[in-house]
Amino acid sequence: MDPIAVTLLVVGGVGLLVLVLSLVVGEIGEFGGDVDGPFSVPAVAAFLGGIGFGGAAASALLPDLPGVATVLLSLLAGLVVALPLAAGALRLSASLRDMPTEPTLTDDRLLGTQGVVVSAVPAGGFGEVRLSVGGQQLKYSARSEAALPAGTPVYVVDTPSATSVEVVSTAPEPSGGPTP
């Protein structure tokens, strides 16, 4: 095999190894800080991979030329492959880093949340409710002024602590029956 192609394959392999290590281990030593932009690990790894593998492919396809011409044309072809790869890696890593996430659940977000009683809530005592918050089903200790049997639909009117809520029933009042 052509020594130029072997050398470029090794460069591409180093880029690929750096990329895999950065994915498995995280930012490798962070190169003296939180490097971002064109000198980030994914961008440099993609650039090395593009130079190496693109240059090796070009070296294999080029006709017999003097050694310097083969090296220069192979590096040029590798550069043509490497720049879009590095730009793509840069954009991909930036989009992953800046991806929106759900805000942290705070007590304020629980106010007005609807749910259902899963363990009966005695008047003035604690039971359990399941609330639907941001698409998730969460269980909280619940207190109510009135006794609430299991299965009663409720909504949150107060959050006395991070793990408990005060609820009121949203079940319709029984018509014609005595009100406790």
Side-chain angles (χ1 to χ4, degrees):
M1 183 177 265
D2 183 18
I4 295 170
V6 171
T7 303
L8 290 170
L9 285 174
V10 169
V11 170
V14 168
L16 185 62
L17 179 67
V18 168
L19 182 62
V20 169
L21 284 176
S22 72
L23 292 174
V24 173
V25 180
E27 292 291 323
I28 302 169
E30 298 191 15
F31 295 122
D34 190 19
V35 178
D36 197 15
F39 298 106
S40 65
V41 171
V44 170
F47 185 80
L48 286 176
I51 286 278
F53 294 127
S59 172
L61 296 175
L62 287 173
D64 281 338
L65 298 171
V68 174
T70 302
V71 169
L72 289 177
L73 288 174
S74 297
L75 287 176
L76 180 64
L79 192 62
V80 168
V81 172
L83 289 175
L85 278 178
L90 192 61
R91 289 188 63 159
L92 180 63
S93 65
S95 67
L96 291 174
R97 184 182 54 248
D98 300 335
M99 183 170 31
T101 59
E102 285 290 319
T104 302
L105 183 62
T106 61
D107 294 346
D108 293 341
R109 286 194 63 206
L110 292 176
L111 294 176
T113 302
Q114 296 187 355
V116 66
V117 175
V118 291
S119 296
V121 179
F126 281 97
E128 278 187 326
V129 294
R130 184 179 55 234
L131 304 174
S132 177
V133 181
Q136 295 182 356
Q137 300 291 317
L138 303 173
K139 284 171 77 174
Y140 282 87
S141 295
R143 186 175 59 190
S144 175
E145 290 183 13
L148 302 172
T152 303
V154 294
Y155 80 92
V156 176
V157 293
D158 194 13
T159 55
S161 72
T163 59
S164 67
V165 292
E166 186 166 336
V167 295
V168 296
S169 173
T170 60
E173 292 288 326
S175 61
T179 304

